Amino acid sequence: MRYGSHMDDERIRDDHAGDDTAVRAAREVLRANDRGRYTVPARGLYPHQWNWDSALAALGWATIDPDRAWTELESLVAARHATGMVAHIAFDPTATTYQPGPQWWGDLVGADGRRISGISQPPVAATCARLLFERVPDEHRARGIVTALAAWHRFLLTERDPGGLGEPVVVHPWETGRDNAPEWDAALERAPVAGELFRRVDTGFVDAAHRPTDDHYARYAGLVEEGRYLGWNQLRLAQVGSFRMLDPAFGAMLAAGCADLAWLAGELGEAAIADASWHQAQAVGAALAARADSDGLVWPVDLAGGSEVARTTCAQALIVMAPDLPRASVDAALDLVAPGGELASDLGVCSTSRLDAAFAPDTYWRGPVWANVTWLVALGAERHGRTGAASDLLERLRRFAGAAGMREYANPDSGEGRGADDFTWTAALSLWEAGRPAARAQGQTTR
Ligand code: 9WN
């Protein structure tokens, strides 16, 4: 692994630094979205536990209440499926407004009895667990989650890799976390339209013009129907599903997650998990690197359609999350987000290239800036030793919060907030970064 622990003894120096209005507002968001053992992404629009939202929420909690931070990760893996998959949603039975609700997924139930969806989401939880351990270490709590995290990664690299490609096959746009990114357009056009459609409620909470289209929703639902029809046999889905994609961003986050789990398991003396995770990180990283084009970029592969999808989105920047990425790929990814780059904005990283015909600055994953993406690219940059690029991105993240507040996403040019208000990961990541000002100011790399 090229990047190691940046932990130092000053890591918890001042979690209350920068206790200004923005930090207070961010804390209020987490508290208001707290459901006891997990944090909803936003009240109203997203009333359940979402996978990568929850993992990132833990980082915010670390600055307020470390115990609560560990609880967040515990509750996330508590709802794991028997296959090891940590689902993209664990449902709150009392929240009935979100569509598609649990009944659309069939009878899937997590280990803790909660109903769950049949797909997963970007595996950033192990990375968050490591970061938590570095800042607010708790051996007992960490030991309680490493086996489940390892099982989830194993699921992604076995059931979801029937062809032995070295990267997991994602089977639904929701699984990538970037639902209507243009790189999925062509594949979605071939996806089935659901026989039975659920009534959309998202558009009752936020501006419908900024959300995915009805046609995309009909196909998201069609893919859920198909999964149900296949009894959520994950291997089959990865072999014959209508939507089968290699997503370099998902792969890079998995590579990082495996490397971070290897590190964490090593700290805990869990040698078998550390060893297996280290090999997984190497294998996923090598698979991604082998697919890099002459410029170093790594593109999605539409396995069902049999073609690479060469449309530039934040996925090409997110490859920087992968440890051991060749230098040319790190350079290419960071060039995209550097000032003047096609993914650059003063407020962070654009979700879709400004040069793509589909670029729409207010529409969800087709242009706006998202705090989580900016932060993850900064993390990858920092871990590859690109501290200048990392601090520049974190400065843009602060500008995002200054301009748009704690919104879900923002217009990359005007800074106007879009989507849900009081959004959990925007708040959590602002808090996490506010908790390490001294190190950042000195250009050091404590996370
Ligand atoms: C579907 C919760 C989630 C995020 C995703 C984001 C959005 C859901 C939706 O909200 O997706 O999973 O209903 O639009 O695309 O990244 O995890 O915040």
Side-chain angles (χ1 to χ4, degrees):
M1 293 302 119
R2 196 149 7 148
Y3 65 77
S5 168
H6 297 307
M7 179 173 72
D8 73 19
D9 291 330
E10 296 176 42
R11 65 187 180 272
I12 53 172
R13 183 190 333 208
D14 188 3
D15 271 355
H16 295 286
D19 192 2
D20 53 13
T21 318
V23 167
R24 273 199 301 279
R27 285 191 190 138
E28 278 319 304
V29 169
L30 279 202
R31 291 200 178 99
N33 293 348
D34 186 11
R35 293 293 173 274
R37 296 187 61 76
Y38 64 88
T39 319
V40 296
R43 301 186 302 287
L45 186 59
Y46 305 119
H48 304 289
Q49 182 173 24
W50 260 263
N51 189 326
W52 68 333
D53 300 72
S54 193
L56 297 171
L59 301 181
W61 282 115
T63 70
I64 300 173
D65 177 353
D67 275 342
R68 178 63 186 76
W70 287 104
T71 304
E72 186 84 30
L73 294 185
E74 286 164 358
S75 78
L76 177 60
V77 300
R80 67 193 172 273
H81 186 253
T83 53
M85 182 183 77
V86 179
H88 100 296
I89 301 177
F91 290 101
D92 171 359
T94 67
T96 52
T97 48
Y98 182 80
Q99 291 287 9
Q103 67 283 4
W104 291 89
W105 299 93
D107 53 7
L108 296 170
V109 178
D112 64 0
R114 274 183 290 169
R115 302 206 35 198
I116 54 174
S117 68
I119 57 172
S120 195
Q121 250 193 341
V124 296
T127 294
C128 294
R130 172 189 176 159
L131 296 175
L132 269 197
F133 193 82
E134 289 181 339
R135 200 182 279 194
V136 289
D138 186 326
E139 281 200 25
H140 176 69
R141 311 286 296 271
R143 199 179 298 282
I145 60 174
V146 289
T147 304
L149 291 171
W152 179 22
H153 294 169
R154 193 165 52 244
F155 161 84
L156 291 172
L157 291 169
T158 53
E159 307 257 318
R160 285 302 190 79
D161 186 15
L165 300 172
E167 292 170 63
V169 177
V170 297
V171 300
H172 197 294
W174 283 337
E175 197 154 59
T176 70
R178 309 184 315 279
D179 311 358
N180 68 340
E183 64 243 78
W184 317 140
D185 284 2
L188 269 178
E189 268 172 38
R190 292 189 318 266
V193 166
E196 195 188 351
L197 291 175
F198 50 80
R199 190 177 58 82
R200 287 185 68 171
V201 287
D202 56 321
T203 46
F205 290 108
V206 289
D207 191 335
H210 302 159
R211 291 284 300 178
T213 61
D214 283 343
D215 179 62
H216 276 170
Y217 255 85
R219 294 166 199 277
Y220 298 155
L223 291 169
V224 173
E225 209 168 72
E226 179 180 275
R228 225 170 44 220
Y229 177 73
L230 290 175
W232 295 110
N233 180 328
Q234 299 286 343
L235 193 72
R236 284 293 287 154
L237 264 177
Q239 280 169 332
V240 304
S242 301
F243 186 93
R244 281 176 289 130
M245 200 63 77
L246 297 183
D247 172 12
F250 194 105
M253 289 185 259
L254 178 60
C258 291
D260 288 322
L261 189 59
W263 179 88
L264 181 57
E267 291 290 298
L268 299 170
E270 300 279 357
I273 293 178
D275 195 47
S277 298
W278 189 83
H279 282 103
Q280 288 168 338
Q282 295 283 312
V284 180
L288 287 169
R291 299 206 290 107
D293 70 8
S294 53
D295 292 330
L297 293 174
V298 188
W299 303 97
V301 178
D302 179 349
L303 295 169
S307 60
E308 204 167 63
V309 188
R311 294 184 80 162
T312 308
T313 70
C314 61
Q316 279 67 57
L318 283 164
I319 62 170
V320 77
M321 283 289 288
D324 288 337
L325 199 64
R327 194 189 165 90
S329 294
V330 175
D331 289 344
L334 294 179
D335 278 353
L336 291 172
V337 304
E342 54 187 285
L343 292 174
S345 151
D346 283 350
L347 306 163
V349 174
C350 293
S351 44
T352 289
S353 165
R354 295 175 178 278
L355 306 181
D356 192 291
F359 177 76
D362 292 315
T363 308
Y364 216 42
W365 292 97
R366 298 173 87 84
V369 170
W370 292 69
N372 65 327
V373 170
T374 304
W375 183 82
L376 287 164
V377 176
L379 174 63
E382 184 175 302
R383 288 173 153 194
H384 282 288
R386 307 300 173 88
T387 49
S391 10
D392 173 50
L393 287 165
L394 293 175
E395 181 54 38
R396 298 189 216 174
L397 182 65
R398 277 188 293 283
R399 262 186 244 132
F400 175 111
M406 296 294 122
R407 291 290 286 270
E408 185 178 8
Y409 50 96
N411 180 300
D413 299 315
S414 71
E416 280 171 279
R418 299 285 181 239
D421 212 343
D422 290 351
F423 200 71
T424 288
W425 71 37
T426 308
L429 297 171
S430 302
L431 288 171
W432 177 259
E433 288 305 323
R436 56 164 195 153
R440 190 178 43 239
Q442 291 159 22
Q444 293 170 4
T445 53
T446 51
R447 271 266 163 197

